[in-house]
Amino acid sequence: MSEQTSEKGLFAKIEEKVQVTHIGGVAFILMLLLLVAVLGLNAMPKNMGGALFALVILGGVFFFVGNNTPILKSYLGGGSALAVVAGSAFTAMGLVPHSAVANIKTFISDNNFLEFYIVALICSAILKMDRDLLLKSAVRFLPVAFGAMIIAFIVTSLVGMGLGYDFKHAALYISFPMMAGGIGAGIVPLSASYAGALHQSAGDILNQLFPAVVIANLLAIIGSSLLVKFTTKSKMNGQGELLKATDGMEIKKTTLPEINNRQLMNGMMVALSFYMMGNVLYHFVPKINAFAFMILLVILAKGFNLVPKFYEESAAMFGNMITYATTPALLAGIGLALVDMNKLLQTVTWQLVLCSFVSVITIGIAGGFLGKLFGLYPVESAIAGGMINNSMGGTGNVAVLSASNRMGLIAFAQMGNRIGGAIILILGGLLITIL
């Protein structure tokens, strides 16, 4: 039995105790009307409370519509995709006041609620895994992710040349941005590197890199959702498990105790402690992302059985609670504050859309094929080792994994993003100088 199946009971208990994103009927409608009044009067408090109130309500609406509308639910990524797209459209049309959007951006990005969310998920995903399964998966995963990125780079650049771009533009302004690891840790430093070599404004270059990242991310959300939908009963689908059970390997079922306040608090502190240790190492070696250090530390701790079972269970319980309670709100915030629909529509071309489509399809197929060769389930490998590397980093990882119901793969997604993105930044700096 998979981890995903074994945790259904836990999620049911969380749903009973944490009524956040699925507030019932009349109460939700009253809160929605209150939000409309607050936004209409431009009276939303400029703090975490105001941002959370708006995001939980809007995220709930977007997820309800996306997950209950036939075409959206079945073919367009459901609530996860709608939250990002509709949130961005609301901002572009001025339906949410600028001051409210600024407050949400501060909460999500500047105050880094996004990082808090990802920290909780990484610790939960790694510490609740079977030790042998984790170690074997990690060793096989990285070659798959890097191989898929190389194949996608070559194919996308060649297709770009066929559509009228020269090789330099297709490689540096389309392929690399999509695989650079997101925005803050990806195309922002990449644009600075390009600007230094070309003696141009980093802001102007960033505007050229941004559309490829966003379009590829949206296509990856839809692609991962469709892949899971059409392979539900296939042997290629691991139902959330990455590594195939072979040679008598037994995948142990993870059973967590009943949710309780004490373990939730302990779990939060375990996750934040690993985050702090990652930042300490980042302080001494700033060229390596703090998340990369954190992932390595959690894997080592799990591999050497350094974390007592009680604290492993606590971290897993806390991560599950955060996932259930805040995913719709977070994705709505990403759309409202981080995806600029106006800028995207002004710069998008059909050639760019086609190149992005080719990249997502190629990296997904390559990830699945290489995953099969390395003993991984092709569907999970195509998502975590492939499509996830055509995303907006941490924000994109959450959206893609939410749409495909594969949140348990967040640690692998972050691993591929951070390490692969760092390699892309180095190569981008070298190639822009040479070419």
Side-chain angles (χ1 to χ4, degrees):
M1 185 184 297
S2 68
E3 277 181 15
Q4 195 175 34
T5 303
S6 68
E7 290 168 5
K8 285 182 179 177
L10 175 65
F11 277 102
K13 291 170 185 172
I14 293 175
E15 186 166 358
E16 292 174 3
K17 298 192 177 192
V18 187
Q19 296 296 325
V20 179
T21 54
H22 299 283
I23 304 166
V26 175
F28 187 89
I29 292 173
L30 291 175
M31 291 179 188
L32 178 59
L33 292 175
L34 178 58
L35 175 62
V36 172
V38 168
L39 293 178
L41 295 170
N42 199 18
M44 190 176 89
K46 295 178 175 62
N47 55 32
M48 182 177 73
L52 268 177
F53 183 77
L55 291 179
V56 170
I57 299 300
L58 290 175
V61 171
F62 295 149
F63 263 61
F64 179 82
V65 173
N67 292 335
N68 289 278
T69 303
I71 295 178
L72 289 176
K73 176 179 70 174
S74 301
Y75 303 105
L76 297 176
S80 300
L82 184 65
V84 176
V85 175
S88 180
F90 271 36
T91 298
M93 293 185 291
L95 298 180
V96 179
H98 176 74
S99 60
V101 173
N103 183 40
I104 289 170
K105 184 174 183 179
T106 297
F107 174 64
I108 294 289
S109 186
D110 298 343
N111 293 339
N112 259 329
F113 176 72
L114 174 63
E115 284 200 8
F116 176 75
Y117 177 96
I118 293 173
V119 164
L121 262 62
I122 288 175
C123 279
S124 173
I126 295 177
L127 292 180
K128 72 185 178 186
M129 285 183 69
D130 176 70
R131 174 178 173 274
D132 293 336
L133 182 66
L134 171 65
L135 297 176
K136 291 177 181 178
S137 299
V139 170
R140 302 180 190 202
F141 173 79
L142 289 176
V144 171
F146 297 155
M149 291 173 72
I150 292 170
I151 293 171
F153 167 75
I154 295 171
V155 172
T156 305
S157 298
L158 291 176
V159 169
M161 291 176 64
L163 294 175
Y165 296 116
D166 60 33
F167 178 81
K168 290 183 291 186
H169 185 89
L172 297 172
Y173 289 87
I174 300 177
S175 291
F176 275 5
M178 290 189 289
M179 297 187 294
I183 297 177
I187 61 172
V188 170
L190 189 64
S191 66
S193 179
Y194 287 5
L198 299 174
H199 305 292
Q200 295 181 11
S201 165
D204 292 340
I205 293 175
L206 185 62
N207 288 335
Q208 297 179 61
L209 304 181
F210 181 76
V213 179
V214 178
I215 293 170
N217 200 154
L218 293 174
L219 292 174
I221 293 171
I222 296 170
S224 65
S225 176
L226 291 176
L227 179 61
V228 169
K229 174 181 173 57
F230 291 119
T231 61
T232 301
K233 297 181 180 179
S234 170
K235 292 182 179 179
M236 296 188 298
N237 190 324
Q239 308 302 327
E241 299 285 356
L242 182 63
L243 180 65
K244 289 184 177 180
T246 57
D247 301 326
M249 181 195 305
E250 180 183 357
I251 298 179
K252 299 177 183 178
K253 180 175 70 174
T254 302
T255 304
L256 298 180
E258 183 176 354
I259 187 171
N260 62 81
N261 294 333
R262 180 188 174 200
Q263 284 198 273
L264 284 176
M265 179 58 71
N266 279 306
M268 181 179 75
M269 295 311 296
V270 169
L272 290 177
S273 294
F274 277 110
Y275 180 50
M276 293 301 117
M277 288 188 285
N279 276 277
V280 168
L281 293 177
Y282 170 70
H283 175 77
F284 292 105
V285 190
K287 291 188 177 181
I288 299 178
N289 189 276
F291 273 125
F293 278 126
M294 178 187 165
I295 293 168
L296 178 61
L297 289 170
V298 182
I299 290 176
L300 289 174
K302 181 69 177 182
F304 287 100
N305 288 321
L306 299 179
V307 182
K309 184 178 180 181
F310 174 83
Y311 293 103
E312 286 188 349
E313 291 176 345
S314 299
M317 187 183 296
F318 176 68
N320 288 342
M321 186 273 288
I322 290 294
T323 303
Y324 174 83
T326 62
T327 296
L330 179 64
L331 291 176
I334 291 168
L336 285 162
L338 301 183
V339 178
D340 191 331
M341 185 65 72
N342 286 325
K343 185 186 296 183
L344 184 65
L345 293 177
Q346 289 171 3
T347 55
V348 68
T349 64
W350 69 267
Q351 292 97 331
L352 178 59
V353 173
L354 185 55
C355 282
S356 301
F357 177 79
V358 168
S359 180
V360 171
I361 293 296
T362 302
I363 204 167
I365 293 175
F369 178 75
L370 292 174
K372 183 176 177 61
L373 293 180
F374 278 80
L376 307 178
Y377 280 105
V379 170
E380 279 68 20
S381 180
I383 294 171
M387 296 180 193
I388 212 77
N389 290 315
N390 271 175
S391 76
M392 294 166 60
T395 59
N397 292 347
V398 173
V400 173
L401 295 180
S402 173
S404 57
N405 195 25
R406 293 296 184 273
M407 279 298 194
L409 301 178
I410 185 69
F412 295 104
Q414 286 290 109
M415 195 186 303
N417 262 180
R418 299 306 174 186
I419 300 175
I423 294 173
I424 291 296
L425 293 180
I426 294 170
L427 291 178
L430 290 174
L431 286 180
I432 193 70
T433 303
I434 296 171
L435 297 179

